[in-house]
Amino acid sequence: MSAELAVAAPAQSLHPPFATQAIGEGRFFATMSAVMLAVVLVGFAPTFYLRPLHDLGPMPIHVHIHGAVLTGWFALLPVQAFLASAGSVQLHRRLGMFGLALGVVVLVTSPFATLIAISSLSATYGLDSALPFTAIGVAGSPIDTVIGYIATRSLAHFAYVSAFTAFLTGAVLFRRRPDVHKRLMILASLAMIGPAFTRMSTWPVFGGAEDFRFGIVGLTLLLFAMVVYDYLSARRVHRVTLWGGMLCVLSILGARIVGGTAFGEALVRAIA
């Protein structure tokens, strides 16, 4: 080969685009989406989906709406993933517009539900009284005051919504990059799944106390599954998986920790 042809020939990249490397990518993300839907259905079954069977009393209408919207989001995710995997691109894109609208509703109902919960708990118990149950914080220490519990839970919920917003925005902007788009959609959903894992900690088999660490551990395990898939399919971890996963965990963990500080408590007192 002449020197001219050698220069003109494009060099073969040691790291070709991720989308050309991934093996079984469609099946993996469809499975991840189905697993997240299962976690939501199981985690919220006693307090939401099967609430009449547990004699928990009526639930405010805004909680019904919030739960229905999030259920719709997690139910649509595997449908979209399966459509993309099956090559039904046009239908996937049409449903994507509905999914975007549903995501916007999530952004509206989630903070609203959190603010109402802050107001309701504050009015019911008072900001300095003891809770009638014990919650376990991220460091393993009990949170047994209303203000500590409200601050820890509320700031974490705001972190969920913030991370969801960031990932959903990125997914829309990178919708023409399937490898990026899929991972950002999964990350957006993972950002909202912590409460479903946390609800499981209240089951008698796990001790019955609300343990925030369940949410962190569950989220981390699902993120680890993405890391393992990336490495096994492409021998490297996708940058979106790596940095997005770190952002997701650190933002939620940070909010939990700040909620247990004087600053977090002061912030909730100002909101309440």
Side-chain angles (χ1 to χ4, degrees), residues 15 18 35 67 82 84 93 102 112 119 124 151 188 192 214 217 234 248 259 270:
H15 298 290
F18 214 90
V35 168
F82 279 112
R93 288 177 178 173
L102 195 60
F112 180 76
S119 177
T124 301
M192 301 295 288
F214 265 59
V217 172
C248 194

Side-chain angles (χ1 to χ4, degrees), residues 206-221:
F206 296 124
E210 185 172 294
D211 192 336
F212 295 143
R213 293 171 299 182
F214 265 59
I216 299 296
V217 172
L219 171 63
T220 302
L221 288 174

Side-chain angles (χ1 to χ4, degrees), residues 3 6 12 23 25 44 47 58 90 95 113-114 118-119 127 144 150 179 189-190 218 220 224 234 242 245 263 266:
Q12 184 175 1
I23 300 172
E25 185 174 82
F44 285 104
T47 57
Q90 293 303 320
L95 280 179
T114 300
I118 293 174
S119 177
L127 293 180
D144 55 10
I150 295 176
D179 58 315
S189 303
L190 286 176
T220 302
F224 183 68
L242 179 62
F263 172 78

Side-chain angles (χ1 to χ4, degrees), residues 77-171:
L77 194 67
V79 172
Q80 284 289 74
F82 279 112
L83 286 174
S85 177
S88 302
V89 178
Q90 293 303 320
L91 181 56
H92 175 84
R93 288 177 178 173
R94 287 197 292 269
L95 280 179
M97 298 304 296
F98 173 73
L100 177 58
L102 195 60
V104 172
V105 178
V106 170
L107 298 180
V108 174
T109 61
S110 296
F112 180 76
T114 300
L115 291 173
I116 294 296
I118 293 174
S119 177
S120 177
L121 285 171
S122 301
T124 301
Y125 298 107
L127 293 180
D128 296 308
S129 63
L131 279 173
F133 61 91
T134 298
I136 307 298
V138 291
S141 58
I143 299 174
D144 55 10
T145 61
V146 170
I147 184 63
Y149 175 74
I150 295 176
T152 302
R153 190 176 75 167
S154 301
L155 291 184
H157 284 196
F158 287 132
Y160 299 152
V161 176
S162 299
F164 178 85
T165 303
F167 292 133
L168 179 60
T169 301

Side-chain angles (χ1 to χ4, degrees):
M1 179 182 293
S2 66
E4 291 79 3
L5 288 176
V7 172
Q12 184 175 1
S13 173
L14 295 177
H15 298 290
F18 214 90
T20 67
Q21 290 184 331
I23 300 172
E25 185 174 82
R27 291 192 300 273
F28 171 77
F29 284 105
T31 302
M32 276 285 290
S33 302
V35 168
M36 287 191 289
L37 175 60
V39 169
V40 169
L41 294 177
V42 171
F44 285 104
T47 57
F48 187 73
Y49 303 110
L50 302 178
R51 188 180 183 88
L53 302 180
H54 293 81
D55 193 27
L56 296 177
M59 193 165 54
I61 186 63
H62 73 273
V63 179
H64 279 287
I65 296 172
H66 173 60
V69 169
L70 277 176
T71 301
W73 172 268
F74 281 100
L76 180 62
L77 194 67
V79 172
Q80 284 289 74
F82 279 112
L83 286 174
S85 177
S88 302
V89 178
Q90 293 303 320
L91 181 56
H92 175 84
R93 288 177 178 173
R94 287 197 292 269
L95 280 179
M97 298 304 296
F98 173 73
L100 177 58
L102 195 60
V104 172
V105 178
V106 170
L107 298 180
V108 174
T109 61
S110 296
F112 180 76
T114 300
L115 291 173
I116 294 296
I118 293 174
S119 177
S120 177
L121 285 171
S122 301
T124 301
Y125 298 107
L127 293 180
D128 296 308
S129 63
L131 279 173
F133 61 91
T134 298
I136 307 298
V138 291
S141 58
I143 299 174
D144 55 10
T145 61
V146 170
I147 184 63
Y149 175 74
I150 295 176
T152 302
R153 190 176 75 167
S154 301
L155 291 184
H157 284 196
F158 287 132
Y160 299 152
V161 176
S162 299
F164 178 85
T165 303
F167 292 133
L168 179 60
T169 301
V172 173
L173 294 176
F174 287 94
R175 61 189 180 276
R176 302 295 182 185
R177 286 279 308 277
D179 58 315
V180 175
H181 175 77
K182 292 174 183 178
R183 286 167 175 79
L184 287 172
M185 289 298 292
I186 291 294
L187 287 169
S189 303
L190 286 176
M192 301 295 288
I193 208 171
F197 280 113
T198 300
R199 291 299 177 92
M200 296 180 189
S201 68
T202 63
W203 297 354
V205 68
F206 296 124
E210 185 172 294
D211 192 336
F212 295 143
R213 293 171 299 182
F214 265 59
I216 299 296
V217 172
L219 171 63
T220 302
L221 288 174
L222 291 177
L223 285 171
F224 183 68
M226 289 180 64
V227 170
V228 171
Y229 165 75
D230 280 355
Y231 184 78
L232 291 179
S233 64
R235 292 296 182 268
R236 63 190 177 99
V237 180
H238 198 290
R239 285 179 294 180
V240 172
T241 301
L242 179 62
W243 295 107
M246 290 174 59
L247 173 63
C248 194
V249 172
L250 291 178
S251 62
I252 295 170
L253 184 60
R256 293 284 191 191
I257 294 174
V258 171
T261 66
F263 172 78
E265 294 182 2
L267 182 60
V268 169
R269 288 181 190 275
I271 296 174

